[in-house]
Amino acid sequence: MLVSLTLHQFALIAQHELSVAEGFNVITGETGAGKSLLLDALSLCAGERADSAMVRHGAANADIYAQFDVENNNVVAEWFAKNERALEEPEVLIRRQLSNTGRSKAWLNGTPVSLAELKSLGALLVNIHSQHAQQALLKPQFVVQWLDEMAQITPLAAQTASSYQAYQQLKRRADDIASREAQRQDRIQLLQSQLADIAPLLAVDYAEVEAEHEELSNIEALMQEASHGLHLLDNDTDEPDVMTLLGQAIKLCDHQLGVSQTFEQASEQLHLAQQQITEVTALLSDYAEQQLPDPERLQALDNLISLGHRLSRKHSLPASDLINEAKGWEAQLEQLENEPSSDAMAAQIEQAWQEYLTLATQLNKERTKAAPTISKQLIKQLKPLALPNARCEFVFTKKADPSQYSAQGCYDIDLLFSANVGMPMQPLHKIASGGELSRMALVMQVLQATNADNNAAKPMLVFDEVDVGISGGTAQVVGELLRELGQTQQLLAITHQAQVAAQAHQHILVQKHHDEQTESELLILTDSAQVDELARMSGGVTITDVTRDHARSLLSDVKYSQ
C-alpha cells in the first residue's frame, strides 16, 4: 500500500508531501492543472524511464519519494530475498532523482538500485491502467490474455507458448541445417582431404624431423669434422694434441702440491678437464667411425620435408603453423560430422509438435470451460453502466490450417458483444462505440483486479481517466464500483466526473497558481472545500447554491449507501 508520495522540484510542483488513504483515492482538477503528474511520479518510482523535461524549470534535479507499507506482503518479501536485499522493516522507500541533463538515479531503502530491479519490484507495488486501455480491447491477444488471467490458467498458457516456441526453434534449426546441407558436405569433404594430405606430418614431431634431416643430409662432412676434432684432442702422431699438453700441465702442478695451495686447486681442475676431454674423445670417435645412415630413412625424411614444403606453399603458412591449423580442422570436422541432419531432427520436431498439441488442447479445454462464467460476470457488471441489454460471449474458432497455430493455441478467440435488443453479437472492434469500449475496459480491469487471490497482497491500482466517455447515472455506478473495489484494495484514479469523485474515500485536488512561476498545488479536500470542487465539476466555473446542493446530495448518497 502506498503511504505517501513526496515531490520536490518535479514539473509544476515545487515541494509537496501527499498522504494517500487506504481505500479509493480520487484526483480532480481543471484541465492542465497537472493531475497526471502524480501518475507520472508513481510510474517513475515503478521503474519507468525518466525525461529531463520533468525537472522543474530552473532546478538542477527533481526528487520523488514513494513510501509503501508492505507488512504481510509475502510477494515483496520474496522479491527482496531473491534479489539478495535486506527488508529489515515492513516498509519500502523508493527514491528517484532526475537531472536536467537527462540522467536519473534510483535508491531502494537508501541503497542504489538498477532500473531493471526497480521495474520488477514496481510491478508488485503499483498497477497502472492507462486511459487508452479501451484501445487494447481491439487487439485479439489482449482478450485472450485477459481470459487466461480470469480463468487462472496463465501458467498453462505460458507453458503452451514455451512449448510452441521450442517447436519453432527446432524447425528453424532443421531448416537451417537443410539449407546448409550441400555446403556442409562440401566442407566435410574439403576438411577430410586436407587432413588426409597432412596426416603424415601430424603423426610425427615435425621439428625433430627437420633436425634429423638436416644432420643426415650432411653426415659425411660431420663425420670428417668429428675426426678432425678427435685428432686435435688425442692423436698417435708427433703433432701436439690437447691430451699430451694437458698431461704435461698436470705433472707440473702435481710437483708443487706441497708448496702452494693454488697448484693443488689447479691440479684438481686439470684432472677434471682430462676426464671430460676423455669422454669427448670417445663421443667424437664413435661419431667419426659410425656407419652411414640407411638410405631409406633419409628418403623417408626427404619425403616428409618435401610434403611440409608443398603444403606450406599451398596454404601460405609455415609448416609448423600449418600443423597447428590442422588441429582446428579436426575440431571443425568433428562438429560437422556430429551435427544432426535435417532428416535426423524430424523425430525431435514431431515429438515437440505433439507436446505442443497436448498442451494447446488442454489450454483450449480450460478456456472453453471458464468462458461462460466469465461472460456472465462481464454482463452482470455492464448492465448497471447504462447497458441494460448488454450481451457478451467468447467464441472459439479452430484455425483451418495447423500452420496457423500459434503460441496462444489452436483457436481464434473473439469476445462478441451486443448492446441492443434484437441485434446480433459481433466482435467488439466492429460494433462497440467509444463509450461502450471504455465501460467494457473498466469492467474488465475491475474484474481482473478482484479476481486475484483475496488473501494475497495486492498492488495499488491506478486508473488514468478510466471514466472517459461516460456521464450521469452511469458515472455514479462507476464511482460505486470503484469505491466497492477500494474496500479491499487501494486505488488512485483521475476523474472529471463529480459522481465518481464523490464516492472516494479521499479526494485530492490539483490546482494551478500563476505567480512569478506557475506552480501546481495538491490539496486533500474535506467538508465545504470538497463540496465546492464537486460543484465546480458539476456546474462549471460559476459555483451556485444549486450546484453546491447537488454536490451535497452526491456526498449524502454515498453516506446513505454505507
Side-chain angles (χ1 to χ4, degrees):
M1 183 187 81
L2 179 65
V3 177
S4 66
L5 187 66
T6 302
L7 308 177
H8 176 70
Q9 303 296 357
F10 182 68
L12 296 177
I13 299 176
Q15 176 71 37
H16 195 87
E17 181 177 349
L18 175 69
S19 297
V20 186
E22 289 189 19
F24 173 29
N25 296 267
V26 74
I27 303 172
T28 67
E30 295 182 355
T31 300
K35 297 186 294 298
S36 62
L37 292 179
L38 293 178
L39 272 60
D40 292 338
L42 272 176
S43 297
L44 288 169
C45 289
E48 291 300 320
R49 294 195 174 277
D51 185 344
S52 59
M54 295 178 176
V55 179
R56 183 168 169 78
H57 178 68
N61 299 301
D63 285 281
I64 306 159
Y65 299 82
Q67 180 185 357
F68 293 88
D69 181 355
V70 293
E71 188 171 7
N72 300 322
N73 192 325
N74 294 330
V75 177
V76 170
E78 288 172 5
W79 184 93
F80 271 79
K82 180 180 178 182
N83 288 271
E84 299 180 348
R85 287 180 172 271
L87 184 61
E88 298 174 353
E89 300 290 338
E91 177 183 278
V92 169
L93 178 63
I94 296 172
R95 178 189 176 191
R96 191 78 186 272
Q97 184 179 80
L98 319 181
S99 166
N100 59 12
T101 62
R103 295 181 177 273
S104 75
K105 299 178 183 178
W107 292 265
L108 175 59
N109 286 348
T111 304
V113 62
S114 69
L115 204 59
E117 284 182 301
L118 191 59
K119 197 175 186 69
S120 65
L121 175 61
L124 306 177
L125 297 171
V126 181
N127 188 350
I128 298 177
H129 294 269
S130 146
Q131 61 178 304
H132 303 295
Q134 60 266 32
Q135 300 303 318
L137 290 178
L138 306 181
K139 301 177 182 178
Q141 65 269 27
F142 175 85
V143 172
V144 176
Q145 291 168 2
W146 182 83
L147 173 61
D148 290 341
E149 287 191 25
M150 289 296 297
Q152 297 185 344
I153 54 175
T154 300
L156 178 58
Q159 191 178 359
T160 304
S162 178
S163 176
Y164 180 79
Q165 289 161 3
Y167 161 74
Q168 287 291 340
Q169 187 175 8
L170 281 174
K171 269 195 68 179
R172 285 193 296 270
R173 186 180 174 197
D175 292 343
D176 184 53
I177 289 173
S179 67
R180 293 187 294 108
E181 190 68 28
Q183 295 92 326
R184 173 174 166 269
Q185 290 301 328
D186 289 344
R187 182 62 178 166
I188 287 175
Q189 290 178 8
L190 175 61
L191 290 173
Q192 288 174 336
S193 174
Q194 290 178 164
L195 287 169
D197 276 350
I198 204 172
L201 299 186
L202 297 178
V204 297
D205 186 325
Y206 190 72
E208 291 183 0
V209 167
E210 286 184 311
E212 184 182 0
H213 180 266
E214 177 71 17
E215 182 179 10
L216 295 185
S217 298
N218 299 282
I219 190 63
E220 293 184 12
L222 293 172
M223 289 170 67
Q224 291 177 1
E225 291 293 324
S227 296
H228 182 62
L230 180 62
H231 182 78
L232 294 173
L233 293 174
D234 191 7
N235 62 70
D236 297 332
T237 68
D238 294 334
E239 294 182 24
D241 56 40
V242 173
M243 289 298 285
T244 300
L245 295 174
L246 187 58
Q248 294 173 0
I250 291 173
K251 287 180 182 181
L252 185 149
C253 290
D254 287 348
H255 283 307
Q256 307 301 329
L257 290 179
V259 179
S260 170
Q261 189 174 358
T262 299
F263 283 91
E264 184 178 344
Q265 292 175 352
S267 176
E268 289 178 4
Q269 295 299 320
L270 288 171
H271 278 287
L272 288 174
Q274 187 181 51
Q275 181 182 347
Q276 291 175 343
I277 291 173
T278 301
E279 293 174 357
V280 171
T281 58
L283 285 173
L284 291 175
S285 177
D286 290 342
Y287 195 89
E289 295 173 3
Q290 69 176 309
Q291 293 183 347
L292 290 175
D294 182 0
E296 292 183 359
R297 176 57 181 167
L298 185 57
Q299 184 61 48
L301 293 174
D302 275 336
N303 292 340
L304 286 171
I305 295 297
S306 297
L307 176 61
H309 291 165
R310 179 176 66 81
L311 293 177
S312 180
R313 289 193 301 273
K314 178 179 179 181
H315 295 282
S316 300
L317 283 174
S320 56
D321 292 345
L322 185 60
I323 291 170
N324 290 330
E325 184 76 8
K327 295 176 182 177
W329 297 345
E330 289 175 331
Q332 287 182 44
L333 180 61
E334 182 180 3
Q335 181 180 355
L336 289 170
E337 288 179 335
N338 291 333
E339 188 175 86
S341 66
S342 55
D343 292 338
M345 291 189 66
Q348 297 179 46
I349 293 172
E350 179 60 25
Q351 181 181 355
W353 177 249
Q354 292 303 324
E355 289 175 358
Y356 161 72
L357 287 179
T358 300
L359 288 168
T361 301
Q362 180 63 27
L363 179 61
N364 187 67
K365 180 179 178 181
E366 295 296 330
R367 285 169 172 169
T368 54
K369 178 182 176 182
T373 301
I374 295 171
S375 297
K376 290 177 182 177
Q377 289 179 287
L378 268 175
I379 294 169
K380 181 180 178 181
Q381 295 285 4
L382 284 170
K383 284 182 179 295
L385 300 179
L387 293 171
N389 301 309
R391 289 178 294 143
C392 297
E393 180 183 355
F394 288 96
V395 173
F396 298 79
T397 307
K398 190 163 186 176
K399 297 178 186 290
D401 190 334
S403 65
Q404 298 175 341
Y405 293 0
S406 70
Q408 289 190 326
C410 309
Y411 286 76
D412 288 320
I413 304 175
D414 286 311
L415 175 57
L416 304 188
F417 172 78
S418 175
N420 303 303
V421 176
M423 299 300 293
M425 289 189 291
Q426 295 186 47
L428 274 175
H429 66 274
K430 290 186 176 180
I431 60 169
S433 65
E436 290 166 348
L437 278 176
S438 66
R439 279 172 276 182
M440 178 69 81
L442 171 62
V443 167
M444 291 176 77
Q445 291 172 75
V446 170
L447 286 175
Q448 186 176 3
T450 55
N451 189 57
D453 184 357
N454 288 328
N455 295 320
K458 300 176 182 178
M460 176 190 193
L461 286 179
V462 179
F463 292 105
D464 184 4
E465 299 191 19
V466 73
D467 54 9
V468 64
I470 59 175
S471 59
T474 304
Q476 183 168 343
V477 175
V478 169
E480 292 170 354
L481 190 63
L482 294 176
R483 186 179 182 87
E484 182 181 354
L485 183 57
Q487 301 295 341
T488 57
Q489 191 166 3
Q490 188 182 39
L491 279 79
L492 180 65
I494 292 177
T495 184
H496 291 285
Q497 301 292 340
Q499 294 90 333
V500 173
Q503 298 288 335
H505 295 103
Q506 177 169 275
H507 189 153
I508 303 165
L509 171 65
V510 181
Q511 61 183 12
K512 189 183 295 184
H513 299 287
H514 301 282
D515 298 324
E516 292 182 2
Q517 185 176 352
T518 301
E519 182 176 337
S520 289
E521 180 184 17
L522 306 178
L523 299 172
I524 295 177
L525 302 182
T526 58
D527 302 330
S528 61
Q530 185 180 18
V531 169
D532 284 348
E533 172 61 8
L534 293 176
R536 180 197 66 78
M537 296 172 72
S538 300
V541 177
T542 303
I543 299 176
T544 65
D545 290 340
V546 174
T547 55
R548 285 193 178 93
D549 288 342
H550 176 64
R552 293 189 186 96
S553 69
L554 292 176
L555 294 172
S556 297
D557 288 343
V558 174
K559 294 178 181 178
Y560 179 78
S561 65
Q562 294 176 341

